[in-house]
Amino acid sequence: LYFSAQEGILFFYHIKGMQYEMKICADILQPISSLTFSPDYTVLLLVTDQGTVYTYKPVHSGEAVKLLDTCCSCFLRADFLTPGDKYCVSVTISGEVQVWFLEDGTCLSKLNLDIEVCVT
Protein backbone atom coordinates (compact mmCIF):
# COMPACT_ATOMS: atom_id res chain seq x y z
CA LEU A 1 0.00 0.00 0.00
CA TYR A 2 1.43 3.39 -1.03
CA PHE A 3 0.24 6.47 0.82
CA SER A 4 1.13 10.15 0.72
CA ALA A 5 1.05 12.68 3.53
CA GLN A 6 0.35 16.42 3.37
CA GLU A 7 4.04 17.16 3.84
CA GLY A 8 4.90 15.51 0.49
CA ILE A 9 6.16 12.23 1.88
CA LEU A 10 5.49 8.99 0.03
CA PHE A 11 5.07 6.02 2.39
CA PHE A 12 4.94 2.30 1.70
CA TYR A 13 3.05 0.00 4.06
CA HIS A 14 3.87 -3.69 3.74
CA ILE A 15 0.91 -5.50 5.30
CA LYS A 16 1.02 -9.19 6.11
CA GLY A 17 -1.76 -10.59 8.25
CA MET A 18 -2.05 -8.46 11.37
CA GLN A 19 1.49 -7.09 11.03
CA TYR A 20 2.66 -4.13 9.00
CA GLU A 21 5.92 -2.35 8.30
CA MET A 22 6.13 1.29 7.24
CA LYS A 23 8.88 2.71 5.04
CA ILE A 24 9.46 6.28 3.81
CA CYS A 25 10.09 6.06 0.06
CA ALA A 26 10.48 9.68 -0.99
CA ASP A 27 10.13 13.22 0.32
CA ILE A 28 9.34 15.71 -2.41
CA LEU A 29 8.61 18.65 -0.09
CA GLN A 30 5.27 19.46 -1.77
CA PRO A 31 1.83 18.07 -0.86
CA ILE A 32 0.93 15.17 -3.17
CA SER A 33 -2.54 15.41 -4.72
CA SER A 34 -2.62 12.11 -6.64
CA LEU A 35 -0.79 8.80 -7.06
CA THR A 36 -1.20 6.64 -10.18
CA PHE A 37 0.51 3.33 -10.99
CA SER A 38 1.49 2.33 -14.50
CA PRO A 39 -0.50 -0.65 -15.87
CA ASP A 40 2.42 -3.00 -15.09
CA TYR A 41 2.98 -1.45 -11.61
CA THR A 42 6.61 -0.55 -12.32
CA VAL A 43 6.25 3.25 -12.18
CA LEU A 44 4.25 5.50 -9.89
CA LEU A 45 3.24 9.01 -11.02
CA LEU A 46 3.02 11.59 -8.22
CA VAL A 47 1.23 14.88 -8.91
CA THR A 48 1.67 17.68 -6.37
CA ASP A 49 -0.68 20.47 -5.33
CA GLN A 50 1.68 22.91 -7.09
CA GLY A 51 1.27 20.95 -10.35
CA THR A 52 4.62 19.18 -10.55
CA VAL A 53 4.74 15.57 -11.76
CA TYR A 54 7.28 13.09 -10.37
CA THR A 55 8.00 9.47 -11.20
CA TYR A 56 8.94 6.87 -8.63
CA LYS A 57 10.08 3.31 -9.41
CA PRO A 58 9.28 1.06 -6.41
CA VAL A 59 11.56 -1.78 -7.54
CA HIS A 60 14.57 0.54 -7.61
CA SER A 61 13.67 2.17 -4.26
CA GLY A 62 15.31 5.37 -5.37
CA GLU A 63 14.25 8.96 -5.09
CA ALA A 64 11.27 10.42 -6.88
CA VAL A 65 12.42 12.09 -10.10
CA LYS A 66 10.88 15.40 -11.21
CA LEU A 67 9.48 14.81 -14.67
CA LEU A 68 7.22 17.78 -15.43
CA ASP A 69 6.94 21.19 -13.88
CA THR A 70 4.11 23.63 -14.39
CA CYS A 71 4.76 26.33 -16.93
CA CYS A 72 1.64 28.44 -17.16
CA SER A 73 -0.91 26.49 -15.14
CA CYS A 74 -0.92 23.61 -12.67
CA PHE A 75 -1.37 19.98 -13.63
CA LEU A 76 -4.48 18.62 -11.96
CA ARG A 77 -3.99 14.97 -12.82
CA ALA A 78 -1.72 12.72 -14.82
CA ASP A 79 -2.21 9.14 -15.93
CA PHE A 80 -0.46 6.60 -18.11
CA LEU A 81 -1.44 5.98 -21.72
CA THR A 82 -1.79 2.25 -22.16
CA PRO A 83 -0.44 -0.14 -23.18
CA GLY A 84 2.90 0.28 -21.45
CA ASP A 85 4.42 2.97 -19.29
CA LYS A 86 6.30 5.17 -21.78
CA TYR A 87 3.70 7.93 -22.14
CA CYS A 88 1.37 9.85 -19.88
CA VAL A 89 -1.44 12.33 -20.36
CA SER A 90 -2.01 15.33 -18.12
CA VAL A 91 -4.66 18.00 -17.75
CA THR A 92 -4.17 21.51 -16.40
CA ILE A 93 -6.55 23.85 -14.59
CA SER A 94 -6.79 25.97 -17.76
CA GLY A 95 -8.05 22.96 -19.77
CA GLU A 96 -4.90 21.98 -21.64
CA VAL A 97 -4.53 18.24 -22.24
CA GLN A 98 -0.95 17.13 -22.96
CA VAL A 99 0.76 13.88 -23.90
CA TRP A 100 4.29 13.39 -22.51
CA PHE A 101 7.17 11.01 -23.19
CA LEU A 102 8.11 9.82 -19.71
CA GLU A 103 11.74 9.03 -20.43
CA ASP A 104 12.76 12.68 -20.78
CA GLY A 105 9.60 14.74 -20.15
CA THR A 106 9.15 15.81 -23.78
CA CYS A 107 5.70 17.17 -24.61
CA LEU A 108 4.53 15.26 -27.70
CA SER A 109 1.08 16.73 -28.19
CA LYS A 110 -1.37 19.16 -26.64
CA LEU A 111 -4.99 20.13 -27.02
CA ASN A 112 -6.64 23.16 -25.44
CA LEU A 113 -10.23 22.49 -24.36
CA ASP A 114 -10.86 26.24 -23.87
CA ILE A 115 -12.58 25.62 -20.53
CA GLU A 116 -11.46 25.64 -16.91
CA VAL A 117 -11.13 22.11 -15.57
CA CYS A 118 -11.77 20.72 -12.09
CA VAL A 119 -11.28 17.22 -10.77
CA THR A 120 -13.60 15.51 -8.31
Side-chain angles (χ1 to χ4, degrees), residues 1-61:
L1 173 67
Y2 284 88
F3 174 82
S4 66
Q6 284 290 71
E7 299 82 25
I9 299 172
L10 177 66
F11 294 99
F12 172 70
Y13 285 95
H14 181 242
I15 303 168
K16 187 172 184 179
M18 298 299 289
Q19 303 292 322
Y20 73 91
E21 178 183 346
M22 183 187 76
K23 174 185 169 191
I24 295 176
C25 298
D27 185 355
I28 58 174
L29 305 174
Q30 296 178 28
I32 299 168
S33 59
S34 71
L35 305 171
T36 306
F37 261 109
S38 62
D40 61 2
Y41 296 97
T42 58
V43 181
L44 185 62
L45 286 180
L46 313 170
V47 180
T48 70
D49 285 352
Q50 283 78 32
T52 308
V53 179
Y54 291 82
T55 58
Y56 177 77
K57 296 183 179 181
V59 173
H60 299 286
S61 297

Side-chain angles (χ1 to χ4, degrees), residues 98-111:
Q98 300 165 318
V99 176
W100 303 90
F101 184 52
L102 288 174
E103 193 169 298
D104 62 6
T106 302
C107 181
L108 301 174
S109 179
K110 62 175 116 178
L111 170 69

